[in-house]
Amino acid sequence: MAETSWSVALRALRGGAPGAAGAQGVGSGLQRAQAFMILATMLYRASHLAIGLVAVVQRHRDQPVQYAAVAAAVGLSVLVYGTALRRGWFTRRHVWADVVVCGCLLPFALWAWGGARESATLGWAMILGGSASAAVAVALDRVQVAAAVVLLAGTHVIGYQAVGASPAVVLGHLNSLLSSAVMAWVFWWYLRRQGRLLDDANARALTAEAHRARYEERLEHHRALHDTVLATLTTLAAGGIDANAPEVRERCAREAAYLRRLVQQTSDALPRRQIGTALEEAVRAAEGLRLKVTARYHALPHVPPEVATALADAVAEALNNVRRHAGTGHAYLTAAVSHEGHEEGHGADHDAGPGGGSGGGSCGTDTGPGGDGTGGGVVVTVVDRGRGLDPERYAPGFGLRRSVHDRMAEVGGRATVDGAPGEGVRVELRWPG
């Protein structure tokens, strides 16, 4: 079913588009100002038509010309304002037709054929000129506004003189005519100015949001490079591993392919990995740089892909920190569902590693890394038996701050780092936080 003119205008005032063609955006401030002025002037005309109908019913029941005049005024008003509502603004030729017919010809037609011989019987037609002047003031340019107002004022003077109206009546109606035009123009000027200010503010907000999105994208690229390529280059530069080792060459090839994907990546090309698979990729990458990782997974839940990616990236950086700073070649990874009560059942496994009895080997799993839990949160810990850290002097660097803490915060999780001198470091990642 097609929308009514009223619903179109009201939707525009609420922020939708009235369907107007133009340079402004859909639901812009200027379009809202236009929709308001259309409704305001239409209601003004409706009040004059109501006065005219009441006057005809009370005073001219036996004058068919009077009813025909009311019908003509109603029909022309529907044309003017109905078209304006559909298009989003007034059509100038329709506004001029309203001025000529309702504002000028109807009073003379009633005087000539409708029995209007005194100001009281002609007044209802004259006041239509007031609502016509309001539409003129907002729809036409200044020269045309002046011409239309002069034409309407001349009709008032000549028409009232023809029925012998007093100067007070003539001046009162002229004042109403001019006041309608002036007030409508002032309202339209103010609303149009406010609408443009709103559009400018919206444009600045959109520009700022675009800048922020570009900054976040660059930051994400920096973090990705820090966690992968830079970690590999740092290790090679330190000389701690053989650059020609097969596993190192394989990692370099993977990261070269990653760089190519990063350059070509679009916003809809985000990785869509399960949590277990993502964590295993982080473990294998660390093992490619000669870090032994003992990993255990316990009934991993299904989490959103962006959460799985954030956890895996945070784990990769935590393992990089173990390799670079802990002074040990062995790390322990535990990942489990964090349902209430579930963690208690796996409490010993959560502390796998130093004192946790993870068992030997590179990777031990209870359910496999694919993740077959039924839902809920997840907790991942990375523990080492290295030199540890002094909590009073600890300040997270770029890796922990950006790649661990910030990544977890962005997906609604949190990261905590705990350690003591000579007792290793424990990094705990939780989602939800």
Side-chain angles (χ1 to χ4, degrees), residues 6-222:
W6 277 96
S7 65
V8 173
L10 292 175
R11 181 162 56 85
L13 287 175
R14 290 195 300 266
Q24 297 299 320
V26 173
S28 68
L30 182 57
Q31 284 187 334
R32 295 184 187 191
Q34 290 174 335
F36 177 84
M37 288 307 303
I38 293 170
L39 287 174
T41 53
M42 182 175 65
L43 292 174
Y44 191 33
R45 168 55 60 86
S47 68
H48 289 177
L49 292 174
I51 293 172
L53 181 60
V54 171
V56 170
V57 170
Q58 289 181 346
R59 295 174 177 269
H60 305 284
R61 292 185 178 181
D62 57 346
Q63 292 287 343
V65 174
Q66 294 277 348
Y67 288 100
V70 172
V74 170
L76 193 55
S77 299
V78 170
L79 174 65
V80 173
Y81 296 99
T83 303
L85 289 171
R86 287 194 304 273
R87 296 188 175 183
W89 195 233
F90 293 100
T91 302
R92 291 190 174 188
R93 65 176 182 274
H94 293 165
V95 174
W96 270 112
D98 183 60
V99 169
V100 173
V101 176
C102 291
C104 299
L105 296 182
L106 278 185
F108 292 119
L110 294 178
W111 176 79
W113 301 293
R117 291 293 184 267
E118 56 185 17
S119 60
T121 58
L122 190 64
W124 77 263
M126 287 296 192
I127 64 173
L128 293 176
S131 51
S133 69
V136 161
V138 301
L140 305 181
D141 56 45
R142 294 182 180 180
V143 175
Q144 295 185 35
V145 169
V149 170
V150 168
L151 186 60
L152 292 169
T155 299
H156 275 59
V157 172
I158 296 173
Y160 277 128
Q161 284 183 347
V163 297
S166 66
V169 172
V170 176
L171 291 176
H173 277 259
L174 287 176
N175 178 68
S176 177
L177 175 70
L178 295 175
S179 298
S180 297
V182 170
M183 287 191 293
W185 183 86
V186 170
F187 290 157
W188 172 229
W189 172 83
Y190 177 78
L191 290 173
R192 181 172 51 189
R193 179 175 178 271
Q194 293 302 113
R196 286 173 175 167
L197 290 175
L198 177 61
D199 290 338
D200 290 342
N202 287 337
R204 289 194 297 271
L206 289 174
T207 301
E209 179 65 21
H211 284 307
R212 186 188 66 82
R214 286 195 293 270
Y215 171 77
E216 290 185 350
E217 183 179 8
R218 288 198 302 271
L219 183 61
E220 179 62 28
H221 288 174
H222 294 165

Side-chain angles (χ1 to χ4, degrees), residues 377-404:
V378 63
V379 57
V380 181
T381 59
V382 176
V383 184
D384 67 75
R385 294 174 174 172
R387 61 174 60 98
L389 56 85
D390 185 350
E392 295 183 357
R393 299 182 178 180
Y394 165 70
F398 180 90
L400 284 176
R401 186 175 65 252
R402 296 295 189 186
S403 298
V404 178

Side-chain angles (χ1 to χ4, degrees), residues 384 386-392 394 416-427:
D384 67 75
R387 61 174 60 98
L389 56 85
D390 185 350
E392 295 183 357
Y394 165 70
T416 56
V417 179
D418 185 25
E423 297 183 8
V425 175
R426 174 190 177 96
V427 177

